[in-house]
Amino acid sequence: MIIVLFGAPGVGKGTQAALLSERKNIPHLSTGEALRQAIAAQTELGRVAKQIVESGQLVSDEIVTGIVKEAMDKPEYSNGCIFDGFPRNQSQAEALDSLLEAVGKEIDSVINIKVANEEIVDRMLKRGRKDDSEEVIRHRLDIYNNQTAPLLDYYTNHGKLISIDGNADVEEVYARIENIL
Ligand code: ADP
């Protein structure tokens, strides 16, 4: 099963991806988490990505697509994957489609978690990650609106998109997602 958890930063994709992964036994791939790990470990990739991630910009398509490709080559991903934070623009969406097509797979569902902007900013400020200052959050929301949200049409046109209301507690949102799988 290939699932993409979609939505603005702070809607709870990471939380839901971790729960789904654990309860359904499907591996979870967060490009943001992979980048934060590389930054913490000060790898070559981490050094390149640090400034970009901390200022709320998008890391290059080449880098993130490379992260995804490398993960998908591992045997544990052969039965499926829950993507969180990828794809984030048209070119990444097309790259994912071709990566999957090359191994005879396709996305089953893109689950769009919807939460109001003010609530998002609130949640992220509480989280207090390095890229969660109010200014950087606003910037990330702009990037989401300009580059990522247009994918909603792309996935609607491909018959993959299902939207749910993410304004509820974690277990309730989980139940809504489970319901549609
Ligand atoms: P959030 O969903 O809260 O923004 P993520 O962990 O998904 O958090 O992403 C954190 C940061 O990592 C992004 O702001 C961006 O700098 C980088 N990043 C993550 N995924 C991608 C991606 N697919 N393309 C480009 N940059 C990415």
Side-chain angles (χ1 to χ4, degrees), residues 43-101:
T43 62
E44 177 72 38
L45 164 64
R47 277 191 286 274
V48 176
K50 183 173 162 64
Q51 170 75 42
I52 306 172
V53 169
E54 287 173 5
S55 63
Q57 324 265 56
L58 291 191
V59 172
S60 76
D61 295 338
E62 204 185 340
I63 289 181
V64 286
T65 307
I67 293 174
V68 172
K69 185 168 173 11
E70 200 179 296
M72 298 298 283
D73 284 340
K74 295 187 181 155
E76 57 262 43
Y77 288 93
S78 60
N79 285 328
C81 183
I82 299 161
F83 289 100
D84 150 25
F86 179 89
R88 258 178 155 90
N89 60 29
Q90 181 71 27
S91 126
Q92 292 179 16
E94 288 169 11
L96 178 58
D97 284 346
S98 9
L99 267 175
L100 293 173
E101 201 184 322

Side-chain angles (χ1 to χ4, degrees), residues 76 81 92 126 141 143 170:
E76 57 262 43
C81 183
Q92 292 179 16
K126 279 190 200 125
L141 286 171
I143 293 184
V170 171

Side-chain angles (χ1 to χ4, degrees), residues 6 25 27 33 40 42 64 66 73 81 86-87 97 104 112 124-125 128:
F6 195 90
N25 206 16
E33 196 48 47
Q42 301 185 326
V64 286
D73 284 340
C81 183
F86 179 89
D97 284 346
N112 175 34
M124 289 166 96
L125 286 174

Side-chain angles (χ1 to χ4, degrees), residues 8-154:
V11 298
K13 301 185 295 289
T15 305
Q16 295 299 328
L19 281 180
L20 266 176
S21 174
E22 193 188 310
R23 295 178 185 175
K24 303 284 175 198
N25 206 16
I26 308 171
H28 156 211
L29 181 60
S30 160
T31 44
E33 196 48 47
L35 289 165
R36 281 188 292 279
Q37 278 170 15
I39 293 170
Q42 301 185 326
T43 62
E44 177 72 38
L45 164 64
R47 277 191 286 274
V48 176
K50 183 173 162 64
Q51 170 75 42
I52 306 172
V53 169
E54 287 173 5
S55 63
Q57 324 265 56
L58 291 191
V59 172
S60 76
D61 295 338
E62 204 185 340
I63 289 181
V64 286
T65 307
I67 293 174
V68 172
K69 185 168 173 11
E70 200 179 296
M72 298 298 283
D73 284 340
K74 295 187 181 155
E76 57 262 43
Y77 288 93
S78 60
N79 285 328
C81 183
I82 299 161
F83 289 100
D84 150 25
F86 179 89
R88 258 178 155 90
N89 60 29
Q90 181 71 27
S91 126
Q92 292 179 16
E94 288 169 11
L96 178 58
D97 284 346
S98 9
L99 267 175
L100 293 173
E101 201 184 322
V103 290
K105 293 182 182 154
E106 59 173 299
I107 295 172
D108 293 287
S109 311
V110 177
I111 300 171
N112 175 34
I113 307 177
K114 301 205 297 187
V115 173
N117 265 9
E118 316 82 74
E119 167 72 16
I120 286 178
V121 177
D122 241 43
R123 287 186 187 184
M124 289 166 96
L125 286 174
K126 279 190 200 125
R127 186 167 72 178
R129 219 166 61 193
K130 208 157 185 177
D131 57 343
D132 283 344
S133 71
E134 185 139 10
E135 191 195 340
V136 175
I137 293 171
R138 298 269 172 219
H139 186 54
R140 283 157 61 205
L141 286 171
D142 280 347
I143 293 184
Y144 172 79
N145 289 327
N146 294 326
Q147 298 191 42
T148 312
L151 291 180
L152 291 168
D153 279 342
Y154 179 80

